[in-house]
Amino acid sequence: MKKLLALLLATVMTMSLLTACGSSETAAEAGNEETQAEVGNEEADAEAGNEEAQADAEANVEEAAEAAALSDGVLTVGTNAEFPPFEYVDDNGEPDGFDIALIKAIGEKLGVEVEVENMEFASLVSSIGSKIDVAIAGMTVTEERQQSVDFSDAYYEAVQYVILPADSEIATAQDLEGKTIGVQLGTTGDFIATDDIADTTVNQYNKGVDAVNDLINGRVDCVIIDKNPALVFASKFEGQLIALDGAQFDFGTEEYAIALPKGDTALTEQINAALEEIKADGTFDELVKTYIEAE
């Protein structure tokens, strides 16, 4: 009997020890899980903190870039006021036209004053970032220019026209071969006449109107220039000159955009945002009616 009681007692003690050990292990496991959870939370908090700090840093960098681009409250704009109706000199001797009105509207959206510098077209790209902040001058986006500057979103689609004497027999691209062609230096018309038409003699001018004057005086056979200025020049010499759509000469379309400093993404984003807002609120359409459709 004593042996039986002793055996029962031993069994009970063993079970108690096992239960205690199991409880200890469970508590330990729970403690470990709680510790791991706390570590995980700390890591998540740290990661969130790092992301927030990185976002703050990026915001600070962007803010600094924006401040650097327009820190003086002035946007200095280069143009060539020899390209009506996009840019020309008004009766007060000041640059005016569609492009000038557009960049001033953009400046108003950005909260800065716009100062316009009238200069030779061929000097505009090389002056960006030094003499001027940006350039707007009926400038076509080309791969060559994109090596030196960035561009805003396109704001106008254009095509080249051919201005001819009213009695000219030139009517096709082949008819242009071997002719003396007047162009404005550094423009798309210049590139077409120089690179795409065989056996031409290309006379380059700083001003489109000088090429037209030489056409009137018989020094060139035609002038290649963008549609809108071509129509303006032809209307001023009605009866003497005609302007033909470049489509019949197999000229493609092109896009005008604002030339910007290479790599200045902050300024590009600001100008694109202002341009988008101007298009959305009807300002852009009003400028087109005033300066382009009225011509």
Side-chain angles (χ1 to χ4, degrees):
M1 185 68 177
K2 289 181 179 180
K3 289 181 179 180
L4 181 58
L5 290 172
L7 182 59
L8 290 171
L9 181 61
T11 300
V12 170
M13 292 179 66
T14 299
M15 292 178 66
S16 299
L17 287 171
L18 290 172
T19 302
C21 289
S23 300
S24 298
E25 289 174 358
T26 301
E29 290 174 358
N32 288 338
E33 290 176 357
E34 183 177 354
T35 301
Q36 290 174 355
E38 290 175 354
V39 171
N41 290 337
E42 290 175 357
E43 289 177 349
D45 291 342
E47 184 176 352
N50 289 338
E51 290 177 354
E52 184 177 353
Q54 183 177 356
D56 289 342
E58 290 174 352
N60 289 337
V61 169
E62 184 176 353
E63 183 177 352
E66 290 177 355
L70 301 170
S71 59
D72 58 355
V74 177
L75 183 67
T76 305
V77 180
T79 194
N80 176 247
E82 303 290 344
F83 198 68
F86 291 94
E87 35 271 320
Y88 52 85
V89 177
D90 65 15
D91 294 337
N92 298 317
E94 298 295 328
D96 195 6
F98 177 83
D99 283 349
I100 308 306
L102 178 62
I103 198 65
K104 287 182 177 178
I106 289 173
E108 185 175 347
K109 295 292 185 184
L110 296 177
V112 297
E113 180 184 353
V114 172
E115 291 184 355
V116 180
E117 298 287 340
N118 189 14
M119 54 203 306
E120 292 183 0
F121 185 87
S123 301
L124 289 172
V125 168
S126 61
S127 298
I128 293 174
S130 55
K131 296 179 181 179
I132 56 177
D133 297 319
V134 303
I136 186 168
M139 187 177 291
T140 303
V141 179
T142 66
E143 292 182 0
E144 181 180 356
R145 288 172 181 151
Q146 286 176 318
Q147 294 177 8
S148 302
V149 296
D150 289 335
F151 283 96
S152 70
D153 294 336
Y155 64 85
Y156 197 82
E157 186 175 88
V159 65
Q160 296 296 300
Y161 264 47
V162 180
I163 308 176
L164 299 162
D167 59 355
S168 175
E169 296 182 356
I170 294 174
T172 68
Q174 188 174 359
D175 293 337
L176 293 173
E177 295 179 5
K179 297 296 190 292
T180 300
I181 302 176
V183 298
Q184 186 173 2
L185 179 65
T187 63
T188 302
D190 186 2
F191 303 147
I192 289 174
T194 302
D195 301 330
D196 299 340
I197 304 172
D199 303 322
T200 58
T201 299
V202 181
N203 291 0
Q204 299 168 314
Y205 304 84
N206 287 324
K207 301 177 181 179
V209 67
D210 291 341
V212 173
N213 285 333
D214 268 6
L215 178 61
I216 291 290
N217 292 317
R219 297 188 183 97
V220 297
D221 297 309
C222 66
V223 172
I224 299 178
I225 198 167
D226 290 53
K227 171 185 175 180
N228 294 99
L231 294 177
V232 171
F233 290 136
S235 67
K236 289 183 177 179
F237 296 95
E238 188 173 359
Q240 294 178 272
L241 301 178
I242 57 173
L244 300 184
D245 191 333
Q248 72 184 70
F249 296 91
D250 299 323
F251 299 158
T253 59
E254 55 190 309
E255 293 182 327
Y256 294 165
I258 302 166
L260 308 162
K262 191 73 174 174
D264 194 339
T265 56
L267 183 59
T268 301
E269 289 173 0
Q270 285 179 275
I271 286 182
N272 282 340
L275 182 59
E276 183 177 356
E277 188 175 345
I278 287 167
K279 288 182 177 180
D281 67 14
T283 301
F284 186 89
D285 291 338
E286 287 301 317
L287 295 180
V288 170
K289 291 178 182 178
T290 301
Y291 288 96
I292 297 177
E293 293 180 354
E295 288 294 334

